[in-house]
Amino acid sequence: MESFTYTSSPSRVIFGYGASSKLPDELSRQGLRAALIISTPYQTAEANKIRDLLDLNAVGVFSEAAMHTPTDITEMALEVARRLEADCVVSVGGGSTTGLGKAISIRTSLPHICIPTTYAGSEMTPILGETTNGLKTTRRDPKILPAMVIYDIDLTVTLPQGLSATSGVNAIAHAVEALYAPDTNPIIRLLAKEGIRALAESLPAIVKDGSDISARSKALYGAWLCGQCLGSTAMSLHHNLCHVVGGSFNLPHAETHTILLPHTMAYNSPAVPVARRDLAEVLPGANGDPIKGLNSLLDRLGVKRALKDYGLKEEDIDRAATIAVKNQYSNPRNVEEESIRELIRRAWAGEPARSDL
């Protein structure tokens, strides 16, 4: 076996049905008594439930979290945290809320307790993506990683089936890139394959029946593993391109990942034979071809396949390609602007991914 380095994330994780009920005891164990609860405007009901659960140990709710973690929203949240003298932040929701919790925590050193309600997986990463004036930048720091993650399966049951599908594919994307990351290793490959397998099996079941609690449990487990992969390896073309398209053109995060994933995998496919084999092993219907498997999975989930459906204009394609190749980053295949432009065009039009770029 080849030599490798593996660094594990130190978060405390609680997983199970009704797991959020353990939050008061967990805060007490850490001596925390003034939690600021954060959410998006669409998840205030969930945030208020956590506030009621904490009772006097909750100092307030900030419900303005937004996609791509705009820094102006972060400044608003920081002011609220200071005014209420919060001693920790509890994020309740998906990637947008988790991102805001990370942004507050890294600026203040307040402990961040994360309660995910989607399959985004960002709660397991020391990575923060923020947007200022339409430009999204990403940084990595061990201090960004939430101190604790509570996976409450019950809180995911109300996640709409369509959003469940795109959120789950977003998680799969984390593991796909980890399979061919320059710093991947046998442990990460095991986690990635298990995470992808769990999500590929559970997401179609959730789309069929959103109340399938067993499928919900398996999907949340898979998302945890996939997030762990992203947090332990370097990001490549896929995540860079999603940050460009999503952050610069204000496209929804999970949907952008879902649409681009087969295309970015197809682009890198010739350069990653081991990752191709690994991915084909865990995708139902792949029959040795991971691109076929990904296309098939998205068809089964019934998700939209075109970036134009979410507001990307045809005239935006050139600018997106230019931004995508502006900065250097690790990728198993050279990133060429002309090919990336065609990749984005195919994703904009909603064409099936194919390995001919």
Side-chain angles (χ1 to χ4, degrees):
M1 179 176 290
E2 295 182 2
S3 299
F4 64 89
T5 299
Y6 171 66
T7 303
S8 61
S9 299
S11 289
R12 177 175 171 85
V13 176
I14 299 175
F15 185 100
Y17 300 100
S20 59
S21 65
K22 298 181 180 180
L23 178 60
D25 289 340
E26 290 296 323
L27 293 189
S28 177
R29 184 180 63 83
Q30 299 180 56
L32 300 172
R33 298 180 177 84
L36 175 63
I37 301 148
I38 58 177
S39 74
T40 66
Y42 310 104
Q43 293 175 306
T44 54
E46 290 85 347
N48 287 332
K49 287 180 181 178
I50 298 299
R51 181 185 60 185
D52 294 342
L53 176 68
L54 293 179
D55 196 17
L56 296 178
N57 289 331
V59 294
V61 173
F62 181 86
S63 58
E64 301 300 323
M67 289 192 307
H68 310 300
T69 318
T71 52
D72 57 335
I73 298 294
T74 299
E75 291 301 321
M76 292 169 55
L78 286 168
E79 176 58 31
V80 172
R82 295 187 187 104
R83 176 167 51 83
L84 297 178
E85 299 182 343
D87 64 6
C88 64
V89 289
V90 177
S91 61
V92 185
S96 298
T97 309
T98 300
L100 179 57
K102 289 177 174 181
I104 296 171
S105 179
I106 193 63
R107 287 168 167 82
T108 62
S109 297
L110 294 178
H112 176 199
I113 296 91
C114 184
I115 306 177
T117 61
T118 71
Y119 308 125
S122 60
E123 66 278 355
M124 294 307 298
T125 76
I127 302 166
L128 172 60
E130 299 181 282
T131 304
T132 303
N133 298 324
L135 181 63
K136 188 168 186 177
T137 57
T138 302
R139 58 172 164 157
R140 182 187 291 256
D141 188 316
K143 296 178 182 178
I144 290 172
L145 187 73
M148 178 188 301
V149 179
I150 298 178
Y151 288 107
D152 188 337
I153 300 158
D154 294 340
L155 294 181
T156 66
V157 175
T158 56
L159 184 67
Q161 288 152 279
L163 184 54
S164 297
T166 54
S167 178
V169 177
N170 179 16
I172 288 174
H174 303 332
V176 169
E177 283 220 314
L179 286 173
Y180 56 71
D183 51 355
T184 194
N185 58 68
I187 309 303
I188 290 299
R189 286 180 59 208
L190 286 172
L191 292 174
K193 291 171 69 175
E194 175 66 5
I196 294 169
R197 188 196 309 274
L199 283 159
E201 291 175 354
S202 60
L203 292 178
I206 291 171
V207 168
K208 183 178 180 180
D209 179 7
S211 63
D212 187 334
I213 196 69
S214 177
R216 291 284 187 183
S217 178
K218 181 182 283 190
L220 197 57
Y221 161 72
W224 171 11
L225 298 183
C226 292
Q228 184 85 31
C229 294
L230 177 64
S232 303
T233 57
M235 294 185 290
S236 300
L237 171 65
H238 175 79
H239 282 84
N240 181 73
L241 199 53
C242 287
H243 289 161
V244 167
V245 174
S248 297
F249 301 95
N250 200 34
L251 269 62
H253 184 80
E255 289 82 352
T256 301
H257 274 271
T258 297
I259 293 170
L260 284 172
L261 180 59
H263 296 280
T264 54
M265 180 60 200
Y267 182 87
N268 280 326
S269 185
V272 291
V274 175
R276 277 181 56 89
R277 185 188 66 228
D278 287 343
L279 190 54
E281 287 177 2
V282 295
L283 285 174
N287 295 323
D289 182 353
I291 312 309
K292 177 182 178 182
L294 286 171
N295 281 327
S296 174
L297 176 62
L298 298 194
D299 287 342
R300 291 175 66 198
L301 296 179
V303 295
K304 292 182 179 180
R305 302 291 299 273
L307 292 175
K308 63 182 180 181
D309 290 338
Y310 294 102
L312 189 71
K313 300 175 182 178
E314 188 170 11
E315 54 266 31
D316 294 332
I317 295 173
D318 285 347
R319 180 177 168 228
T322 299
I323 298 173
V325 301
K326 184 177 180 180
N327 297 318
Q328 295 296 315
Y329 47 89
S330 62
N331 195 65
R333 180 182 169 190
N334 288 336
V335 178
E336 300 172 355
E337 185 169 350
E338 184 176 348
S339 296
I340 296 303
R341 182 181 293 106
E342 173 59 14
L343 184 160
I344 297 172
R345 188 204 64 77
R346 292 177 184 180
W348 170 82
E351 298 175 7
R354 56 186 191 272
S355 304
D356 61 350
L357 288 176

